[in-house]
């Protein structure tokens, strides 16, 4: 029996039971759609982050941090191990423009005039040499303890109320509340902190110290930003900085054995983030994929019912010369069509729902092309697999028995 | 079928027979063994029209199933068109069934979702006959049984007599060696039944080989001979003579 003939006859059987076929396909549609939605969301989230980084690109910087060994994902260690001596030694490396300690201060609320903002922003102590004059959109660098810079994102958060010369008030987590005069507005976020940030003078606002391996007491930081003079020397600077941390740095001696010092360029950081998101997406997608199993059981179930129901038709086909393999072919094609149509519609629904979600959140749309292919193949596979047992049952139908009854 | 097949009804020897059964036994075990067929020998010469009569449970259907290659004997041999049915593997037997036998059932047994033309085409589909001319062949046959204007109707849209005509066209489509009819008029009113029997007469006159099960004497009398079955054995073969005998 030719494939095209089976297709025609099977298609008839499917369209002859529209409601039932639709309900069967719905199981597969939901399974595939769920997987696709998560893939779209994961991909969009990833692109969103990568896009953020790419906006910062061109800044020839890198980030020095400490991570737990062997976890493959982000397990940051916040212990302050990068000493002032390390900062000075790094600054002496060829090609280094500046070394900026990252010092996050814990604060939960700020207010300007009557406007109050709780959470969603960061407060960081930074050293003025991390900024070039062109980074300032407006105003100038802070010079004293009661002066602050704001990022454009933070200004936006206050609906543009905050401007140079204003007084802002920050409530720190330790209970202290301080007033600052805004001296300038800067473009983007700095380092790994939130984009909406208040920057204060490092000299005045950061005083965590530790005992160095030499027995002296020095200020120390949990991470550093290294700025290279220009993009062409980034790789060299990274190599030399890595070498320094491997050999003579204080940090190398202060860190625990199961911790690793990472010198990451923006590209490195993007790679690491991307790989973590990928793993997460596949994991969640896999869980969504379990609903496919339910879909395939649905197909098998309906097919078994329809074998029982169509026993007489099977008997007729055998009486007019159908072989076992012809019957198997008919039923397998029927279940494959259900699986394939279900997968196709699942992809359409999944992309649609994913698009809606991504648009609502405001991420860029990502089309998970490879997953679409995988989904359709899996749908077809599910169709074939779940059709095997019913088809075998159909082939076994005894035509004498089948034709005997009314 | 060609037109050179007019005088073959009398040759009853197994060598010239399209179908022959040799001491066929078929036993069912339902607690007690029951011989549905108990040593039946019969041959259907080419062009013959044979009716089978007998009380319920006498083995008529079992005999049809044997000749129809749906069942195989426990003892003895069934030969269809020179092939030993019992020796054939399943797939080959199915192919032989589709090629050499045309079934006509009491309940018509058409596929309800296929049109009349598609139902008629079905036996060709399973023979993997080349596509071309299939539809035309179905049309020719349906026109021949008087349904030229009902090609694209599905069985539920047709009357009982029309359905049986579709079934007859389907039975003819692969030019089988034998037509097997099991109570072909059993579900029809007398008038419709007699037009169906007229059709059988025509087919017989064309020289086709027919085996028909019936429990109605006047239906059986359309045949050349009546095989009387009782308890799985042939009690008598009644020769009706007839003009072509
Ligand atoms: N599948 C079966 N299982 C058990 N016994 C059967 C089966 N088919 C037929 N028989 C028995 O075989 C005998 C002949 O049956 P059948 O050929 O159907 O007779 P008829 O068609 O003349 O009524 C009956 O006694 C019947 O009960
Ligand atoms: Mg019977």
């Amino acid at each position: 029996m030719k494939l095209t003939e089976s297709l025609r006859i099977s298609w008839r059987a499917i369209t002859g039971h529209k409601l039932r076929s639709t309900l069967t396909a719905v199981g597969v549609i939901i399974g595939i759609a769920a997987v696709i939605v998560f893939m779209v969301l994961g991909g969009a989230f990833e692109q969103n982050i990568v896009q953020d980084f790419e906006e910062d690109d061109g800044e020839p910087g890198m980030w020095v941090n400490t991570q737990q060994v062997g976890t493959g994902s982000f397990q940051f260690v916040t212990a302050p191990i990068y000493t002032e001596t390390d900062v000075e030694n790094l600054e002496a490396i060829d090609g280094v423009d500046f070394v900026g300690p990252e010092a996050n201060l814990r604060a939960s609320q700020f207010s300007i005039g009557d406007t109050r903002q709780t959470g969603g922003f960061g407060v960081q102590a930074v050293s003025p040499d991390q900024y070039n004059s062109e980074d300032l959109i407006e105003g100038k660098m802070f010079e004293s303890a009661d002066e602050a810079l704001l990022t454009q994102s933070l200004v936006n958060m206050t609906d543009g109320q905050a401007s140079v010369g204003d007084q802002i008030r920050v409530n720190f987590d330790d209970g202290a509340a301080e007033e600052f005069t805004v001296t300038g507005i800067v473009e983007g976020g700095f380092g790994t902190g939130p984009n909406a940030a208040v920057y204060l003078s490092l000299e005045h606002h950061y005083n965590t110290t530790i005992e160095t391996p030499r027995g002296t007491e020095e200020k120390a930081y949990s991470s550093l930003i290294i700025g290279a003079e220009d993009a062409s020397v980034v790789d060299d600077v990274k190599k030399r900085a890595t070498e320094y941390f491997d050999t003579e740095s204080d940090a190398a001696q202060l860190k625990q054995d199961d911790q690793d010092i990472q010198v990451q360029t923006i590209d490195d950081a993007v790679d690491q983030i991307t790989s973590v998101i990928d793993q997460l997406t596949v994991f969640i997608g896999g869980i969504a994929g379990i609903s496919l199993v339910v879909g395939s059981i649905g197909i098998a179930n309906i097919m078994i019912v329809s074998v029982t129901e169509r026993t007489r038709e099977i008997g007729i086909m055998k009486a007019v010369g159908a072989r076992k393999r012809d019957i198997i072919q008919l039923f397998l094609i029927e279940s494959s069509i259900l699986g394939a149509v279900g997968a196709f519609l699942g992809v359409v629904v999944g992309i649609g729902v994913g698009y809606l979600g991504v648009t609502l959140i405001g991420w860029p749309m990502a089309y998970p092309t490879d997953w679409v292919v995988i989904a359709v193949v899996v749908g077809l596979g599910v169709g074939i697999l779940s059709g095997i047992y019913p088809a075998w049952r159909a082939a076994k139908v005894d035509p004498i028995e089948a034709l005997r009854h009314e | 079928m060609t037109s050179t097949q007019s005088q073959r009804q009398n040759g009853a020897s197994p060598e010239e027979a399209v179908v022959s059964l040799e001491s066929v036994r078929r036993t069912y075990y339902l607690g007690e063994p029951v011989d549905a067929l108990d040593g039946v020998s019969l041959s259907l010469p080419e062009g013959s029209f044979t009716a089978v009569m007998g009380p319920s449970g006498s083995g008529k259907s079992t005999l049809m199933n044997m000749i129809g290659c749906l069942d195989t004997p426990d003892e003895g041999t069934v030969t269809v068109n020179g092939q030993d049915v019992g020796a054939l593997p399943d797939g080959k037997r199915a192919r032989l069934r589709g090629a050499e036998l045309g079934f006509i059932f009491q309940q018509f047994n058409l596929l309800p979702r296929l049109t009349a033309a598609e139902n008629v085409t079905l036996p060709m589909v399973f023979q993997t006959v080349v596509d071309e001319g299939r539809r035309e062949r179905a049309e020719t046959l349906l026109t021949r049984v008087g349904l030229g204007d009902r090609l694209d109707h599905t069985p539920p849209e047709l009357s009982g007599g029309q359905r049986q005509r579709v079934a007859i066209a389907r039975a003819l489509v692969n030019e089988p060696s034998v037509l097997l009819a099991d109570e072909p008029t059993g579900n029809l009113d007398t008038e419709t039944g007699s037009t169906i029997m007229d059709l059988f007469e025509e087919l017989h006159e064309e020289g086709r080989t027919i085996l028909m099960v019936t429990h109605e004497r006047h239906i059986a009398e359309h045949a050349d001979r009546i095989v009387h079955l009782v308890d799985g054995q042939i009690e008598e073969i009644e020769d009706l003579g007839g003009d072509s005998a």
Side-chain angles (χ1 to χ4, degrees):
Chain A
M1 176 175 207
K2 280 201 278 181
L3 210 62
T4 48
E5 305 277 4
S6 323
L7 273 171
R8 203 166 48 83
I9 297 176
S10 302
W11 181 248
R12 266 319 160 74
I14 289 172
T15 51
H17 300 103
K18 283 202 185 61
L19 180 63
R20 194 167 73 186
S21 304
T22 310
L23 289 176
T24 311
V26 163
V28 181
I29 294 175
I30 291 176
I32 299 277
V35 175
I36 297 288
V37 167
F38 283 113
M39 292 308 154
V40 169
L41 290 180
F45 179 51
E46 189 174 303
Q47 271 193 25
N48 182 53
I49 287 188
V50 171
Q51 223 171 51
D52 272 2
F53 272 94
E54 276 167 356
E55 281 166 10
D56 291 350
D57 223 356
E59 269 182 36
M62 62 207 76
W63 185 41
V64 183
N65 60 68
T66 324
Q67 292 186 27
Q68 210 66 38
V69 174
T71 52
S73 65
F74 302 101
Q75 294 268 342
F76 292 112
V77 180
T78 52
I81 59 170
Y82 304 97
T83 63
E84 278 295 339
T85 310
D86 284 340
V87 172
E88 278 158 27
N89 288 339
L90 287 167
E91 270 171 343
I93 289 175
D94 262 3
V96 171
D97 179 26
F98 69 84
V99 177
E102 267 204 304
N104 293 312
L105 305 176
R106 294 173 182 278
S108 53
Q109 204 180 57
F110 80 84
S111 39
I112 168 162
D114 294 334
T115 314
R116 236 169 241 280
Q117 172 73 33
T118 307
F121 72 101
V123 178
Q124 252 175 274
V126 299
S127 79
D129 51 336
Q130 287 164 220
Y131 282 96
N132 306 321
S133 53
E134 63 258 30
D135 289 330
L136 278 165
I137 299 174
E138 215 184 304
K140 59 182 181 59
M141 228 356 109
F142 47 68
E143 275 158 11
S144 63
D146 58 357
E147 289 179 339
L149 291 181
L150 304 183
T151 63
Q152 186 61 47
S153 306
L154 189 105
V155 172
N156 294 345
M157 214 178 230
T158 67
D159 292 326
Q161 277 191 43
S163 55
V164 175
D166 285 353
Q167 286 289 118
I168 62 163
R169 186 183 174 81
V170 176
N171 292 65
F172 291 95
D173 285 1
D174 60 10
E178 284 180 53
E179 298 241 331
F180 301 94
T181 308
V182 178
T183 60
I185 313 287
V186 289
E187 177 77 59
F190 175 74
T192 53
N195 275 343
V198 176
Y199 294 143
L200 305 175
S201 152
L202 185 76
E203 202 188 323
H204 298 99
H205 290 277
Y206 190 83
N207 38 31
T208 305
T209 60
I210 58 158
E211 194 186 325
T212 66
R214 298 174 300 281
T216 56
E217 198 73 10
E218 273 183 29
K219 276 193 186 178
Y221 312 96
S222 55
S223 59
L224 303 174
I225 301 285
I226 299 175
E229 275 160 5
D230 64 77
S232 63
V233 295
V234 167
D235 287 341
D236 287 339
V237 169
K238 180 184 167 180
K239 217 174 110 208
R240 285 188 210 118
T242 310
E243 228 170 74
Y244 169 73
F245 282 116
D246 282 349
T247 52
E248 40 188 306
S249 67
D250 287 345
Q253 295 177 57
L254 289 167
K255 76 171 177 69
Q256 308 287 314
D257 283 347
D258 61 349
Q259 294 168 354
D260 228 1
I261 295 171
Q262 304 266 341
V263 181
Q264 293 181 312
T265 61
I266 286 173
D267 283 349
D268 295 338
V270 169
D271 282 353
Q272 196 181 3
I273 291 169
T274 315
S275 100
V276 170
I277 296 175
D278 280 351
Q279 282 172 29
L280 207 70
T281 309
V282 169
F283 176 71
I284 295 173
I287 291 175
I290 291 172
S291 55
L292 265 181
V293 176
V294 179
S296 85
I297 292 170
I299 295 190
N301 186 28
I302 295 291
M303 294 296 294
I304 289 169
V305 170
S306 97
V307 168
T308 316
E309 224 178 60
R310 279 189 271 166
T311 302
R312 184 177 199 84
E313 290 181 31
I314 297 165
I316 295 171
M317 291 198 273
K318 286 194 165 183
V320 301
R323 293 165 299 170
K324 279 187 176 153
R325 45 186 293 191
D326 296 326
I327 303 291
I328 288 178
Q329 189 174 324
L330 280 172
F331 277 83
L332 276 187
I333 286 182
E334 190 173 327
S335 65
S336 309
I337 292 177
L338 287 174
V341 169
F344 175 76
L345 292 178
V347 166
V348 172
V349 170
I351 298 261
V353 171
Y355 181 81
L356 214 72
V358 162
T359 313
L360 286 178
I361 302 173
W363 289 337
M365 180 62 187
Y367 291 95
T369 331
D370 42 351
W371 283 95
V372 168
V373 175
I374 292 171
V376 172
V377 171
V378 167
L380 205 66
V382 160
I384 293 172
L385 274 180
S386 50
I388 288 177
Y389 174 69
W392 174 77
R393 285 254 299 246
K396 266 200 354 183
V397 164
D398 175 5
I400 300 173
E401 280 298 321
L403 293 171
R404 195 204 307 274
H405 310 289
E406 275 299 297
Chain B
M1 283 288 154
T2 64
S3 52
T4 59
Q5 297 170 320
S6 46
Q7 325 168 295
R8 295 185 185 167
Q9 284 98 323
N10 290 335
S13 71
E15 301 86 67
E16 293 178 41
V18 184
V19 171
S20 67
L21 286 78
E22 279 282 322
S23 321
V24 167
R25 182 183 308 280
R26 179 71 169 95
T27 312
Y28 285 110
Y29 296 90
L30 272 184
E32 294 277 293
V34 177
D35 285 330
L37 291 179
D38 185 6
V40 169
S41 297
L42 178 70
S43 63
L44 305 183
E46 195 167 356
S48 65
F49 187 173
T50 308
V52 179
M53 296 189 75
S56 179
S58 58
K60 303 184 296 292
S61 295
T62 308
L63 178 67
M64 291 276 287
N65 294 339
M66 283 295 162
I67 298 173
C69 302
L70 288 168
D71 202 356
T72 51
D74 296 320
E75 276 175 38
T77 55
V78 176
T79 313
V80 172
N81 222 13
Q83 305 223 51
D84 181 351
V85 175
L88 288 177
D90 215 70
K92 287 234 171 77
R93 197 146 49 83
R95 276 293 173 86
L96 179 70
R97 178 160 65 234
E100 301 298 343
L101 298 148
F103 287 90
I104 297 152
F105 303 93
Q106 182 176 355
Q107 306 89 338
F108 322 129
N109 282 337
L110 301 173
L111 293 185
R113 280 184 303 271
L114 300 188
T115 64
E118 285 169 338
N119 265 290
V120 174
T121 320
L122 201 60
M124 292 193 278
V125 169
F126 291 120
Q127 290 297 313
T128 344
V129 176
V130 196
D131 239 340
E132 273 154 56
R134 269 195 207 164
R135 166 87 190 179
E136 288 68 32
R137 173 141 184 76
E139 280 181 26
T140 311
L141 282 168
L142 282 168
T143 308
R144 156 116 180 50
V145 298
L147 290 175
D149 54 346
R150 296 283 189 280
L151 298 176
D152 296 320
H153 287 57
T154 57
E157 299 163 350
L158 297 172
S159 71
Q162 289 173 328
R163 290 185 211 180
Q164 195 60 301
R165 286 166 192 275
V166 175
I168 291 170
R170 179 181 66 187
L172 293 171
V173 79
N174 280 342
E175 287 294 350
S177 306
V178 187
L179 290 178
L180 295 173
D182 193 350
E183 301 273 10
T185 58
N187 271 10
L188 303 174
D189 59 66
T190 323
E191 202 181 322
T192 315
S194 78
T195 64
I196 293 292
M197 285 324 294
D198 291 343
L199 195 49
F200 271 89
E201 292 260 5
E202 278 179 40
L203 295 171
H204 176 39
E205 272 156 31
E206 281 175 15
R208 299 189 194 259
T209 311
I210 303 170
L211 181 81
M212 175 180 70
V213 168
T214 181
H215 66 273
E216 290 176 281
R217 176 86 200 170
H218 73 276
I219 297 290
E221 278 171 354
H222 287 274
D224 305 328
R225 54 178 187 160
I226 302 176
V227 175
H228 291 275
L229 269 184
V230 176
D231 288 342
Q233 292 182 323
I234 294 177
E235 192 194 47
E236 184 201 352
I237 298 185
E238 182 185 349
D239 200 334
L240 297 175
D243 27 80
S244 55

